[in-house]
Amino acid sequence: MKRFISVVIVLLLLVSTLYFFRGASVKSLVSNLSQQRVYIQRDSNVNFMPDWTVDELLLKINTARESVGLSKLKENAKLDQSAKARLSVILSENDVDGSVTGLTREKALSNVGYDANLVGELILVGFFKTNDPVAYWNSNETTKGTLIHSDFVDVGIAVKNGIDKVEVYLLLASPRKMVKQAVAPKITWGGVELWKEINKRRVELGVNPLKQANELCTIASIRLNQLLELRKLDGHTGFVPVLQRSDLKWISEKYNLSEYLIQGYPTPVEAVKAWENALGHKSLLAGGEYVWGCVYAQNTFGVAIAAY
């Protein structure tokens, strides 16, 4: 009896369905469905472009500086305050140079107690989030010179995000007085450890390990001493003058030489990783043309000379 009732119910459903679609072809049904439109109203308060962050912007800036052999900039809390104040008057009063409100970049630094020896600034107003700020600054000689100035040490960053545009103010500076720093952990690695990690990574990347050449060690030693005296990387400006010395000129005549600089990494593994990720420096680790080399390192400064 139950089976009979189930069959009757199924038959009734089939009859109802056929009646509903009577006179309507499958083709016409599909056509009607395909002509439907779905409209979504955009909420003006929703950001469709990802917001820029201070950390991401600082990473891009330091990657650009390291790619030309310069030291990374350190974010400074006082400069951050100054940068926010400057961006505020630029946006509210269109006071780019500080002449309207009196809040020049020098005044902004003075207000937070930062005694600067050298000051620079980089500004983006109404800049599309999808564009590259580093490429934009590099397209102009003045802003490019600020971005990769070797004397800048500290940076303050202010960012104001819109829906698809962003405003940015960077304040770059070097302190007039040495600021007392917290005692850093003792660095125990040197040239021997860095040399070992370089050759280890070269083998992992499928190229030959470098053979040490004493004459290249002479150059690496001189260059390291120069950097230690400067207490910063010099963007390779001291490399060529060393090669042109009368007592060393024969080395550059014998070899094709390349120099690689590093600073600030707590371990040789991290130093090698930084070289691998920096534009133009990966050749130290993946360049199969190099046969000879030498490395000197001290206090996180490293100089690698590779040659063929």
Side-chain angles (χ1 to χ4, degrees):
M1 185 64 181
K2 291 182 178 179
R3 180 177 298 178
F4 176 76
I5 292 173
S6 299
V7 171
V8 171
I9 291 173
V10 171
L11 289 174
L12 287 173
L13 289 172
L14 289 173
V15 170
S16 299
T17 303
L18 290 172
Y19 181 81
F20 179 81
F21 289 113
R22 184 177 58 186
S25 67
V26 173
K27 181 177 180 181
S28 64
L29 288 174
V30 172
S31 176
N32 289 336
L33 289 172
S34 65
Q35 293 175 8
Q36 301 304 310
R37 296 291 185 270
V38 177
Y39 295 94
I40 301 175
Q41 183 174 354
R42 176 174 174 176
D43 186 347
S44 60
N45 295 320
V46 176
N47 289 342
F48 283 80
M49 296 292 181
D51 283 348
W52 284 19
T53 68
V54 170
D55 289 342
E56 291 171 348
L57 188 57
L58 181 59
L59 177 61
K60 289 182 179 181
I61 293 167
N62 280 334
T63 299
R65 288 176 62 86
E66 285 192 302
S67 70
V68 293
L70 297 177
S71 299
K72 296 186 292 184
L73 297 176
K74 296 178 292 184
E75 187 180 4
N76 182 283
K78 291 183 177 181
L79 294 189
D80 280 344
Q81 294 180 46
S82 299
K84 290 174 183 177
R86 287 282 293 131
L87 181 60
S88 177
V89 298
I90 289 172
L91 297 181
S92 63
E93 305 293 338
N94 194 29
D95 190 12
V96 176
D97 61 1
S99 59
V100 177
T101 63
L103 190 66
T104 63
R105 60 192 186 187
E106 290 77 14
K107 180 63 175 176
L109 288 173
S110 176
N111 287 347
V112 297
Y114 186 100
D115 189 9
N117 179 55
L118 181 69
V119 184
E121 62 185 1
L122 293 169
I123 306 172
L124 297 175
V125 176
F127 194 75
F128 283 102
K129 292 180 179 179
T130 52
N131 291 340
D132 182 356
V134 171
Y136 175 77
W137 287 321
N138 277 333
S139 66
N140 177 276
E141 287 302 315
T142 300
T143 52
K144 179 180 180 181
T146 302
L147 179 67
I148 59 173
H149 199 297
S150 62
D151 289 337
F152 287 133
V153 175
D154 298 322
V155 65
I157 304 175
V159 177
K160 185 178 187 300
N161 284 285
I163 294 175
D164 53 5
K165 294 182 180 179
V166 63
E167 277 76 35
V168 172
Y169 184 89
L170 265 64
L171 189 58
L172 304 90
S174 58
R176 188 180 304 277
K177 300 176 181 178
M178 294 298 296
V179 179
K180 187 177 180 181
Q181 302 289 340
V183 177
K186 184 178 180 181
I187 302 299
T188 58
W189 62 272
V192 173
E193 292 80 9
L194 187 56
W195 174 258
K196 179 181 177 181
E197 290 300 329
I198 290 171
N199 275 334
K200 178 184 176 183
R201 189 58 180 146
R202 284 179 63 85
V203 172
E204 290 172 348
L205 293 175
V207 296
N208 57 288
L210 298 175
K211 301 176 183 178
Q212 184 169 299
N214 291 334
E215 54 266 45
L216 302 185
C217 291
T218 300
I219 297 174
S221 174
I222 294 171
R223 289 289 290 132
L224 178 63
N225 286 330
Q226 290 177 343
L227 299 180
L228 291 174
E229 289 179 5
L230 288 172
R231 292 189 292 185
K232 63 181 181 180
L233 302 183
D234 65 357
H236 305 287
T237 57
F239 183 47
V240 172
V242 171
L243 297 181
Q244 291 177 342
R245 279 176 37 171
S246 59
D247 58 330
L248 299 176
K249 191 174 182 180
W250 67 273
I251 300 176
S252 60
E253 293 173 348
K254 180 179 178 181
Y255 299 101
N256 289 306
L257 300 165
S258 296
E259 179 187 61
Y260 302 86
L261 307 178
I262 201 75
Q263 182 215 347
Y265 293 91
T267 68
V269 174
E270 292 176 83
V272 168
K273 185 177 180 180
W275 266 327
E276 186 171 353
N277 292 331
L279 182 66
H281 290 68
K282 188 175 180 179
S283 57
L284 172 64
L285 309 169
E289 70 274 19
Y290 293 120
V291 179
W292 308 97
C294 188
V295 173
Y296 267 64
Q298 183 180 330
N299 295 340
T300 78
F301 282 88
V303 177
I305 305 296
Y308 61 91

